[in-house]
Amino acid sequence: MAKKQYGVNVHSMIPFDDKFQIDENAFRKHLRRLGEAGVSVYIGAAGAAEGNTLTREERDRVLAIAVEELKGKVIVRAAGTEPRDVREMVEFLKSAEALKVDAAQIYSMDMGHGVLPNRREIENFFFSSIEATSLPVTISNQRKVGYPIPLDLIETLTKRYPNFVGYAYDNNDMFYMIELIRRFGDRLEIYASGVGNALFAFGMGANGFQGMEGNIAPKLVQSVVTGYVTQNVPLMHESFRKMMLLHAILRGPVRENQRAIKPVLNAYGLGGGQIRPPRFAISGEELETVLQAIEALQIPEMAGWKR
């Protein structure tokens, strides 16, 4: 059996310029910063990357840039967004495969208008999607879509498809996560979706966690993994504490940290760029409060940052 690999997956933001076009130079610099920290990177996600605003051409362009900058240095995965149907997911996977990313993520299907798929529809979605590509694929099951993927279906997918290699679960049910790790931890890479469950995931035998806080402090989130792997409990504890405080600061009263990440990066000259409508960035007053709170954390990699 191969040695278990542990890590953190950072869902990268995408900088947009004043005309809301992709700022390729700023994006490349941001990716290099993530690569230097040693984190795995997800590209084009619905949340951090504002993936729902990307055209197909833009989506493919950011994937191509990520491959150019990071492939062979850290793991590069195409993230994508929740698809409306199988056709949409298959098109995404074929495009990701042609662009030679290391792997691709299959989000759960969102059929729209609050409609939840039945068992037959869920099976058809995953069977058809995985069969459409030779890429290694991971599944992401987010609480936002409103339904879990049955564990017996995960069993079937694991047995049927050798290119099904991982599962990121949004921990709204810890008993599901416990059973997921118990049954599939030796066959799949299992990640907690969201930083809050990082230590729970490690403690139960998962491979790691993922989130977007690494856009601000990639070395900090990686140090949680380093502390766990090296059994350096003080490092793991302190890194996790600061990561969770950063998470809370970024979310703040707006309850969605995408709106704060880019303004914070911009304040430090790190090229966060603009947020695309319909989202709007936090206000200048909110930003000052966020910056003061972040500076009080004294995150090591941010020492010497000037704004």
Side-chain angles (χ1 to χ4, degrees):
M1 184 180 296
K3 183 178 179 180
K4 192 161 191 169
Q5 299 296 310
Y6 299 96
V8 53
N9 304 319
V10 174
H11 287 236
S12 176
M13 65 91 190
I14 299 172
F16 301 114
D17 63 22
D18 291 340
K19 296 182 179 179
F20 302 112
Q21 301 303 303
I22 297 168
D23 186 335
E24 293 196 7
N25 288 333
F27 187 45
R28 289 179 185 276
K29 290 178 182 178
H30 182 70
L31 291 175
R32 289 178 203 140
R33 185 165 165 263
L34 297 181
E36 288 167 2
V39 299
S40 297
V41 181
Y42 272 77
I43 302 297
E50 302 165 74
N52 293 99
T53 73
L54 299 175
T55 65
R56 289 184 182 181
E57 292 75 17
E58 289 175 327
R59 179 202 66 198
D60 289 355
R61 183 57 185 155
V62 296
L63 289 176
I65 290 171
V67 169
E68 291 172 15
E69 293 291 341
L70 297 178
K71 189 162 185 181
K73 301 172 185 176
V74 296
I75 296 172
V76 181
R77 297 181 177 92
T81 62
E82 287 86 358
R84 290 301 197 194
D85 54 32
V86 175
R87 172 198 53 78
E88 186 178 336
M89 178 52 66
V90 168
E91 185 277 328
F92 165 71
L93 291 170
K94 288 184 178 298
S95 185
E97 184 170 351
L99 291 165
K100 302 186 184 303
V101 297
D102 294 310
Q105 178 174 265
I106 300 176
Y107 268 121
S108 301
M109 182 168 54
D110 179 358
M111 299 169 67
H113 208 58
V115 177
L116 300 182
N118 60 32
R119 175 59 183 256
R120 181 181 176 186
E121 291 161 347
I122 295 172
E123 287 182 352
N124 179 66
F125 171 73
F126 283 111
F127 292 166
S128 300
S129 297
I130 298 174
E131 288 170 7
T133 183
S134 62
L135 270 179
V137 295
T138 62
I139 285 175
S140 176
N141 190 196
Q142 297 286 320
R143 73 183 74 183
K144 299 176 183 68
V145 300
Y147 61 93
I149 301 171
L151 285 169
D152 64 307
L153 177 55
I154 299 298
E155 180 77 45
T156 299
L157 297 176
T158 302
K159 290 179 178 178
R160 183 177 295 192
Y161 303 113
N163 62 323
F164 170 42
V165 299
Y167 189 172
Y169 179 64
D170 190 3
N171 259 18
N172 58 324
D173 182 346
M174 69 176 183
F175 297 106
Y176 181 101
M177 186 68 162
I178 291 169
E179 189 67 6
L180 177 69
I181 296 168
R182 187 187 71 80
R183 290 175 60 175
F184 308 110
D186 60 342
R187 290 181 280 175
L188 298 175
E189 293 183 7
I190 298 176
Y191 290 85
S193 182
V195 297
N197 290 295
L199 298 189
F200 167 73
F202 279 138
M204 293 308 303
N207 296 79
F209 62 98
Q210 58 190 45
M212 59 185 73
E213 289 69 21
N215 285 287
I216 301 292
K219 292 180 181 178
L220 174 67
V221 299
Q222 179 62 33
S223 66
V224 177
V225 182
T226 301
Y228 175 75
V229 171
T230 62
Q231 299 182 17
N232 185 337
V233 175
L235 173 64
M236 181 181 69
H237 177 268
E238 182 64 2
S239 299
F240 179 74
R241 184 184 72 84
K242 289 189 175 183
M243 179 178 71
M244 289 309 301
L245 288 172
L246 176 62
H247 172 74
I249 291 165
L250 291 171
R251 287 178 67 86
V254 297
R255 312 313 301 165
E256 189 182 54
N257 54 14
Q258 296 100 318
R259 296 186 176 101
I261 286 174
K262 287 184 173 183
V264 169
L265 291 173
N266 289 334
Y268 288 107
L270 293 174
Q274 302 298 313
I275 295 178
R276 269 185 173 173
R279 288 195 180 101
F280 288 95
I282 58 176
S283 69
E285 182 179 349
E286 290 170 325
L287 175 59
E288 185 59 32
T289 299
V290 166
L291 290 171
Q292 290 178 11
I294 291 176
E295 287 165 2
L297 292 181
Q298 297 184 324
I299 296 171
E301 71 195 273
M302 298 176 69
W305 285 14
K306 302 295 182 182
R307 64 181 176 97

